[in-house]
Amino acid sequence: MLDMFTLGLEVALAPQNLFYAFIGVLLGTIVGVIPGIGTMSVIAMLLPLTYVISPVSGIIMLAGIYYGAQYGGNTSAILLGIPGESSAAVSVFDGYPMAKKGRAGAALAISALSSFFAGCVSTLLMFLSAPLLGKVALAFASAEYALLMVLGLIGSMSFASGAYLKTMGMVGLGLFLSTVGIDFYTGTPRFEYGIMALSDGFPIAVVAMGVFGIAEVIEQLVHQFKLRRAGGKIPAMAAIPFKSLYPSKTEAKQSVAPASRGTLMGVLLGIFPGIGATIASFAAYSVEKQVNREREELGTGHPAGLAAPEAATNAAAQTSMIPLLTLGIPGSAVVALMMGTMNVHNIQPGPTLINHHPELFFGVIVSMWIGNLMLLVLNLPLIGIWVKLLQVSKPILLPIILVASTLGVYLLNSSSADIVLLLLFGLLGYVMRRFGCSTASFILAFILGPLLEEHLRRTLLLSDGSFLTFVERPLSLFLLVLIGGLVMVMGWRSWKLR
């Protein structure tokens, strides 16, 4: 193992690989900061470049863009309430309230340090136990994946703070909207009413930016309109002193345990193909709502509500490489593009990769740790610059947010219909806020819906429609018991609140 680490270090520290790692994390950070651009589109544009450089350098650069975007996506989520990446949607819940309290710098620092810690731990675990973790992922069949999705939906009830009926409604609405588009099994159009723009369903980035970002803009505009109508003045943003740009001892202490739990959650969920960083971040936040001693303060600007999902996001982004490197199974669309780079160079990812191409296997893993260090060095000095965004007056800042959001959404598919959808989901998000509904549960259900449908239908097709298949396998039976236990705990808490 020491020999393999030395090999990986030699590969990762090669000048050309250091250069491509830096380019990757820099581009990833920029992609994450600007709402709506998306990691996929940037990686797709740079894919031809990887065909003319070494496969190791190409994979290092693409991986840097992927996990670098997770770092950058939290910046706009914390400062503006607009997630730069769908995985940063959870960062809005506590990161944005922290910014409103004048703790934007502390929030950005907690986010960067939590991501760095998660990146280091997940990279170490990948190096030590990647083949073993790959076998664990292989043990999960469609039945277990379906139950994992159900567990996630029930866990989203923890976002409700007791308002379970409203949350169930939001989960139902999210699941329903996730079915819009072409049925992937039969090719039948569903709920698209002849509108071509809906044939592929609603893009996740459009929904997340609308429900969080545009809804926030609408709320601010309504608030300012009421102030002006009442004859009041719009307060200017107070200057933020330099000493508040980094977390206090109390905030740091509140972040350590959540970051550790989030890292573990991200590692566990990242190894499963198709789960991704977005679901891992929601899962980590849900766990914090259950186990944190100060759980009632989550959602009001608590450091734990930011540290846990940020750690989970980065850990899952990095461990999502494990299925590709050890099993030859791409865990997401972004990782599938990396697989294409390997295939162009006649490299077959899978169980034989570690023996036939150890320099690629260990070089990529060690470069991830170096990339995380680069991201930390890049992000911490920029905190003061980002925080100055909050000192821009609202009449200037709100139009900038609108322009950035609409431009980012348009660049996704070059479709003006996406801009209309963005505004409609913004209105929907505003209505949800007005009625005290859980936007978090809605977004999670929307993201989990296609995965739940795919694995549930596949399981029932394989079992000829028999639901007994969920109790015939020990792992799925365990997940069923876990779901039942969670429902009982929620029922007990609801009775206790009454």
Side-chain angles (χ1 to χ4, degrees):
M1 188 60 70
L2 186 59
D3 290 340
M4 293 300 100
F5 175 75
T6 304
L7 173 62
L9 200 60
E10 289 177 358
V11 172
L13 291 177
Q16 70 272 18
N17 292 334
L18 282 174
F19 172 75
Y20 284 113
F22 177 76
I23 293 297
V25 297
L26 180 62
L27 286 175
T29 302
I30 295 171
V31 167
V33 168
I34 302 173
I37 291 183
T39 314
M40 272 289 294
S41 56
V42 175
I43 288 183
M45 286 189 290
L46 291 176
L47 202 60
L49 175 63
T50 64
Y51 299 158
V52 296
I53 61 178
S54 72
V56 178
S57 299
I59 297 298
I60 285 174
M61 183 180 68
L62 297 183
I65 295 172
Y66 184 36
Y67 58 80
Q70 314 308 321
Y71 267 79
N74 62 65
T75 303
S76 57
I78 292 170
L79 297 181
L80 307 175
I82 303 175
E85 290 281 315
S86 58
S87 57
V90 191
S91 302
V92 176
F93 304 155
D94 283 275
Y96 191 50
M98 283 185 72
K100 287 181 175 179
K101 293 178 181 178
R103 302 298 297 159
L108 289 169
I110 288 170
S111 172
L113 292 170
S114 298
S115 297
F116 176 70
F117 170 76
C120 292
V121 173
S122 58
T123 301
L124 180 63
L125 288 175
M126 284 176 66
F127 187 82
L128 296 176
S129 56
L132 177 62
L133 291 173
K135 291 179 181 178
V136 171
L138 205 57
F140 274 65
S142 287
E144 285 78 21
Y145 274 104
L147 291 175
L148 271 179
M149 302 304 119
V150 174
L151 187 63
L153 290 174
I154 294 175
S156 72
M157 298 292 178
S158 61
F159 299 144
S161 301
Y164 292 126
L165 192 60
K166 285 183 180 179
T167 307
M168 287 176 65
M170 291 298 98
V171 169
L173 179 62
L175 288 174
F176 165 68
L177 292 179
S178 72
T179 63
V180 174
I182 303 296
D183 185 339
F184 53 82
Y185 275 109
T186 64
T188 306
R190 301 185 300 189
F191 309 113
E192 42 89 47
Y193 304 107
I195 303 173
M196 287 297 296
L198 299 181
S199 59
D200 291 329
F202 301 112
I204 293 176
V206 173
V207 176
M209 290 173 63
V211 169
F212 291 110
I214 302 301
E216 175 66 25
V217 171
I218 295 173
E219 192 171 52
Q220 293 282 351
L221 289 173
V222 170
H223 177 64
Q224 291 189 24
F225 174 75
K226 288 180 178 178
L227 278 177
R228 289 184 182 276
R229 194 172 183 180
K233 291 185 177 180
I234 301 172
M237 291 294 294
I240 302 172
F242 182 78
K243 64 181 181 181
S244 69
L245 290 179
Y246 296 101
S248 63
K249 289 183 179 179
T250 302
E251 290 170 331
K253 187 177 179 181
Q254 291 172 327
S255 305
V256 173
S260 302
R261 287 189 289 264
T263 300
L264 180 61
M265 185 64 64
V267 169
L268 291 176
L269 293 179
I271 63 174
F272 297 113
I275 298 295
T278 303
I279 297 174
S281 62
F282 275 96
Y285 193 84
S286 180
V287 168
E288 284 304 307
K289 290 285 283 187
Q290 298 288 340
V291 304
N292 197 291
R293 292 179 180 179
E294 300 172 343
R295 65 177 72 92
E296 299 301 326
E297 296 182 30
L298 264 67
T300 63
H302 196 280
L306 181 62
E310 286 298 333
T313 298
N314 201 45
Q318 301 204 42
T319 52
S320 64
M321 293 288 291
I322 289 178
L324 174 67
L325 297 176
T326 61
L327 304 174
I329 302 172
S332 65
V334 174
V335 179
L337 290 177
M338 299 181 198
M339 184 177 180
T341 300
M342 292 185 184
N343 291 335
V344 167
H345 292 279
N346 295 319
I347 296 174
Q348 184 60 44
T352 60
L353 182 67
I354 194 171
N355 293 322
H356 293 168
H357 300 279
E359 75 287 348
L360 189 148
F361 187 92
F362 292 104
V364 168
I365 291 176
V366 175
S367 76
M368 288 182 176
W369 182 83
I370 296 174
N372 275 278
L373 187 60
M374 289 179 176
L375 282 166
L376 190 67
V377 173
L378 275 173
N379 280 270
L380 286 181
L382 293 175
I383 287 176
I385 297 174
W386 296 127
V387 168
K388 287 187 180 295
L389 282 174
L390 291 179
Q391 297 173 327
V392 178
S393 63
K394 290 294 176 68
I396 297 175
L397 186 60
L398 294 181
I400 292 174
I401 294 173
L402 278 174
V403 170
S405 301
T406 51
L407 181 61
V409 162
Y410 182 77
L411 290 175
L412 281 174
N413 300 308
S414 299
S415 170
S416 56
D418 285 349
I419 298 177
V420 177
L421 292 176
L422 176 73
L423 299 177
L424 290 176
F425 277 106
L427 289 171
L428 177 63
Y430 175 71
V431 171
M432 288 180 184
R433 294 184 182 203
R434 292 286 294 173
F435 286 93
C437 297
S438 174
T439 53
S441 299
F442 166 77
I443 286 291
L444 183 60
F446 181 80
I447 293 169
L448 291 181
L451 293 171
L452 173 60
E453 181 186 7
E454 177 186 353
H455 291 295
L456 179 61
R457 290 175 67 179
R458 185 183 298 163
T459 301
L460 295 177
L461 282 172
L462 293 174
S463 64
D464 293 327
S466 173
F467 281 90
L468 291 176
T469 186
F470 290 103
V471 298
E472 291 173 349
R473 290 167 56 91
L475 196 53
S476 59
L477 181 60
F478 169 74
L479 289 172
L480 274 175
V481 172
L482 198 61
I483 290 170
L486 187 58
V487 170
M488 290 176 64
V489 169
M490 287 171 50
W492 177 77
R493 283 188 176 175
S494 179
W495 174 80
K496 189 177 178 181
L497 284 171
R498 289 179 184 178

